[in-house]
Amino acid sequence: MTTHDTSRPAEGFEDITEAEATQELTTTDPGAVHGRFRPGILSRLGMAIGRALPPGRTGLKLAGIAQPLAMSALEDGVADIEALGLKLRLHPLDNLSEKRTYLTPQCFDVVELETLRGAMGPGKTFIDIGANAGLYSLVAAKAGGRSARVIAVEPQDEMRRRLAYNARTNGLEAIEISGVALSDYEGESVMRLVGSNRGGTQLAVTGEDQPGRSMAVRVTTLTTLLDEMRVAKLDVMKIDVEGGELAILAPFFASAAKDRWPDMIIMERPAINQVDAARDALSLACSRGYRVETETHANAILTLDRARG
């Protein structure tokens, strides 16, 4: 597994080493072996109910029926299952995307992941900004094959460890994992967890209090990261950073040559009640030559018209 660390991290934060990223596999603890945390019989019954629900939003709304049963017999809150065509070790109690993949995989970003599979191929490069547990990265790496390049950007060390374990379990060792946070400046900041969902993290605003869990991170721009990782061009980007998309994309579009821009972007849609719609990342991308091909409940899928922008 490749980890990326181009400079000394901020004080109090250490990027994981390759040994740390694979610790679950090399330890003598039997929990390292996939299948050790097989859900109990009641949990499997709840999973069966969840997976029988209709796909899409309807299934998600009905998932509460199966959730108590599915979560009732998980050792240490961990589940070794198969979903999305992968062997996965999931932690459904503290992460929304892992919970949905565990309970209702037929409802988890179906359109987005199918589009991603179709866009990947030999030699393609995918960047997953705000990778979380890395489910998009895992799907992209499997679809793209050994010659594809997959870069997962995730500041949380725990989420990087989860991704590293699942990547190695599936033989997807070429995934490159970066622990930086992306924004519109170079420096250091604090990444804080918003609520109890590990998928909800944000860079702190200067001067604000930091209640709850937080960690120091190196902050850099997307252009700088691509330079450091020697990425000449992106083919596909997924970006979901809890409202920080504009701060990442605005300087990238301003400074990077257009032939470096991704042909496709999967991004979280702006909030319906956003005050300044002209300042959201989706509007910015459309102003630079992207057009919305598909909108789901949570995301927009855009493609670049290179004749525009």
Side-chain angles (χ1 to χ4, degrees), residues 109 111-117 119 126-129 136 236-240 245 262 264-269 296 298-303:
D109 291 5
V111 173
E112 295 91 332
L113 291 179
E114 191 58 33
T115 301
L116 177 58
R117 291 185 184 98
F126 169 67
I127 189 166
D128 189 355
I129 302 174
Y136 273 76
V236 188
M237 171 193 293
K238 186 273 273 180
I239 180 168
D240 181 353
E245 293 83 5
M264 176 183 292
I265 300 177
I266 302 171
M267 74 163 66
E268 187 176 33
R269 294 171 58 189
T296 67
N299 299 294
I301 302 174
L302 302 90
T303 56

Side-chain angles (χ1 to χ4, degrees), residues 117 120-124 137-150 171-175:
R117 291 185 184 98
M120 291 301 293
K124 294 295 183 73
S137 292
L138 294 165
V139 168
K142 183 174 180 179
R146 292 186 178 275
S147 66
R149 191 171 184 188
V150 173
L172 303 173
E173 299 180 27
I175 296 177

Side-chain angles (χ1 to χ4, degrees), residues 210-226:
Q210 304 304 320
R213 286 175 286 178
S214 60
M215 62 188 302
V217 293
R218 176 200 168 194
V219 182
T220 190
T221 66
L222 176 56
T223 302
T224 296
L225 179 64
L226 296 180

